[in-house]
Amino acid sequence: MANQVLGVNPPGVIVLLTGDGSGYNNDQGFIKQLELAHKHGWQIEVVSWDLGCNRLLKRFAEKNGVYRTLETVYNQVTFINNKRWAIGEKQAT
């Protein structure tokens, strides 16, 4: 991620799909990378399940970009094997 942040001009949008904020206190991990990207002009979007998202990661995204919860699209992005297809997905024939 850092190589892309430093090597791309003009900066774009980073979309991170995760909930992991581990390593932050040791100057490592996704939050530190997003801070670096933000300082270099990148737009930030974090997509995660609310229940699994690191509170510091969510707070950073809400303050410096966009935070998108997955709970509101649960039925569109999940399926239950042999019971329920994702909404909008057609069963293979």
Side-chain angles (χ1 to χ4, degrees):
M1 186 185 288
N3 290 339
Q4 290 299 315
V5 167
L6 299 175
V8 175
N9 193 19
V13 178
I14 291 179
V15 178
L16 181 65
L17 176 61
T18 186
D20 187 13
S22 66
Y24 182 72
N25 293 330
N26 298 321
D27 291 331
Q28 299 173 346
F30 290 133
I31 302 173
K32 288 295 183 180
Q33 296 298 316
L34 291 178
E35 287 176 341
L36 175 65
H38 186 258
K39 286 179 186 175
H40 282 85
W42 285 79
Q43 295 176 38
I44 305 297
E45 292 190 25
V46 173
V47 181
S48 184
W49 298 104
D50 282 339
L51 291 176
C53 189
N54 179 286
R55 64 182 171 77
L56 297 175
L57 178 60
K58 183 177 180 181
R59 187 180 308 148
F60 178 82
E62 290 173 333
K63 181 179 177 187
N64 298 289
V66 176
Y67 175 80
R68 299 187 193 282
T69 180
L70 286 170
E71 274 81 358
T72 59
V73 293
Y74 174 81
N75 287 322
Q76 287 80 23
V77 299
T78 65
F79 73 96
I80 301 172
N81 197 27
N82 297 320
K83 292 185 181 183
R84 178 184 57 80
W85 292 91
I87 293 176
E89 182 180 354
K90 293 185 180 186
Q91 184 173 356
T93 56

